[in-house]
Amino acid sequence: MIDAALVRRRVVLAVVVGVMPPVVMFGWAALVAMVVFDPSLCGEYTGCLGLFVWDWDVGRWGAVVLAWPLLYLVRVRPAWRVAIVGGVFLAAIWRFAATEVVAVDGAVMLAVCGGLIAYPVAAWVTTPGVHRLVRVLVVGLFVGLFVYGALAGG
């Protein structure tokens, strides 16, 4: 039997971890734009937050690496299991977001906020007592997203 309070606690804390990387990345890009760059160098469409695009390649994988310490810090146990499964789910979301099926603005939101989906779902799926069939179906969904993204050229 699943302890509903435990599931709620793990999922809510995983949401907190999922929201941290985009906030830190946008904050870092804004800080660099204000401190380092001359405003005349900023783009017309994205402004100085276009630096976020430069930070994306490194920052997104940094978010995956930092997931375990963040989950551990907010007391999600076992943090390593949620971090690994969440990282795999996040990679599938990013792969799907890179396809042409998703509109550009939706793809950006999906890619940036993918941790808000991946880590809470990973926390729920890795909770002790979750039925094996549910785990297989959820993992199958994310594997399907990844395969579709790979086949669609994302």
Side-chain angles (χ1 to χ4, degrees):
M1 184 77 185
I2 298 176
D3 181 12
L6 173 67
V7 172
R8 262 192 312 276
R9 179 181 170 280
R10 286 171 56 97
V11 168
V12 168
L13 293 174
V15 166
V16 170
V17 170
V19 81
M20 284 181 188
V23 168
V24 169
M25 287 174 68
F26 274 117
W28 175 255
L31 179 67
V32 168
M34 289 187 297
V35 172
V36 176
F37 283 88
D38 179 16
S40 65
L41 299 175
C42 297
E44 187 174 316
Y45 177 70
T46 60
C48 292
L49 286 179
L51 296 170
F52 179 75
V53 174
W54 295 347
D55 295 337
W56 175 248
D57 284 333
V58 175
R60 68 181 176 156
W61 295 111
V64 171
V65 170
L66 290 175
W68 177 82
L70 290 173
L71 288 162
Y72 189 82
L73 183 68
V74 297
R75 301 182 192 271
V76 172
R77 301 294 189 267
W80 66 270
R81 188 177 303 155
V82 177
I84 290 171
V85 173
V88 171
F89 289 175
L90 195 52
I93 291 169
W94 289 336
R95 176 66 69 167
F96 177 72
T99 64
E100 293 182 6
V101 171
V102 183
V104 172
D105 55 346
V108 170
M109 287 302 296
L110 189 58
V112 170
C113 298
L116 292 171
I117 300 166
Y119 290 109
V121 172
W124 171 60
V125 167
T126 60
T127 301
V130 172
H131 196 275
R132 188 173 302 210
L133 180 61
V134 171
R135 290 180 185 179
V136 168
L137 290 174
V138 171
V139 169
L141 170 72
F142 282 98
V143 168
L145 280 177
F146 187 85
V147 169
Y148 179 80
L151 293 176

